[in-house]
Amino acid sequence: MLKVNTVVMQNQYEELGQILQRLNEAAQDVDAVNQRLSWDVAVSKRVRQVLGQQNQNLTLLSNHAEQLRQVLLEAIR
């Protein structure tokens, strides 16, 4: 039999939810900055590429955090 501390797991689940929310907010901020760029075309293109990649990375990290959150929730149950 495996014993787990569900209180700790619940706390981690809630903490991951907060991290997930911050990641989603950061992804939205990066996307908004990316859309508002109207500088020199060469600089803008490179900055937009980097921001686009960071947005994708944040979204991926957010998805992984949500998956981990769901695993914790199942373990708590």
Side-chain angles (χ1 to χ4, degrees), residues 22-75:
R22 289 193 301 265
L23 284 171
N24 287 332
E25 289 169 359
Q28 289 173 356
D29 289 345
V30 167
D31 191 46
V33 168
N34 193 14
Q35 291 178 6
R36 283 183 259 155
L37 286 175
S38 60
W39 311 338
D40 176 274
V41 174
V43 172
S44 177
K45 182 178 178 183
R46 179 64 186 138
V47 170
R48 289 171 61 94
Q49 287 174 341
V50 170
L51 286 173
Q53 183 60 48
Q54 291 307 314
N55 188 34
Q56 288 176 350
N57 291 341
L58 286 167
T59 300
L60 185 61
L61 188 55
S62 174
N63 291 341
H64 287 256
E66 178 59 29
Q67 290 171 355
L68 180 55
R69 230 177 132 234
Q70 292 304 317
V71 168
L72 282 172
L73 184 59
E74 282 299 314

Side-chain angles (χ1 to χ4, degrees), residues 1-9 72 74-77:
M1 176 179 266
L2 177 66
K3 293 183 180 183
V4 295
N5 186 338
T6 57
V7 172
V8 171
M9 293 176 81
L72 282 172
E74 282 299 314
I76 290 167
R77 289 182 188 152

